[in-house]
Amino acid sequence: MSCSGCSGAIERVLKKLEGIQSYTVSLEAQSADVYAEDGLAYETVLEKIRKTGKTVVKGERDGVEVAV
């Protein structure tokens, strides 16, 4: 993410995604922390973020690093 528009795009898709409990998007840290209900698949969250045109370089699920 290189601008507020980038982080805003990620915030918009997360806000609309059913099953998201909370999220924090940090332009400065170039990261997004997403907390979701058990029924929401990790892959679904990744797909929605990728659709914004952003590259996901690493991810964690329940504190364990997961392939992206």
Side-chain angles (χ1 to χ4, degrees), residues 5-37:
C6 296
S7 57
I10 293 172
E11 288 179 353
R12 285 189 294 278
V13 298
L14 294 175
K15 181 190 282 189
K16 294 178 184 178
L17 188 56
E18 190 173 322
I20 297 291
Q21 294 175 328
S22 66
Y23 59 88
T24 303
V25 178
S26 171
L27 178 58
E28 184 177 301
Q30 304 237 339
S31 67
D33 294 324
V34 180
Y35 301 92
E37 297 173 359

Side-chain angles (χ1 to χ4, degrees), residues 11-66:
E11 288 179 353
R12 285 189 294 278
V13 298
L14 294 175
K15 181 190 282 189
K16 294 178 184 178
L17 188 56
E18 190 173 322
I20 297 291
Q21 294 175 328
S22 66
Y23 59 88
T24 303
V25 178
S26 171
L27 178 58
E28 184 177 301
Q30 304 237 339
S31 67
D33 294 324
V34 180
Y35 301 92
E37 297 173 359
D38 289 337
L40 180 59
Y42 173 81
E43 293 77 14
T44 301
V45 176
L46 287 179
E47 177 186 327
K48 294 296 183 182
I49 291 173
R50 286 186 181 125
K51 282 187 176 183
T52 68
K54 308 304 164 242
T55 302
V56 179
V57 294
K58 72 176 189 172
E60 290 183 8
R61 178 176 37 207
D62 297 327
V64 177
E65 193 164 325
V66 178

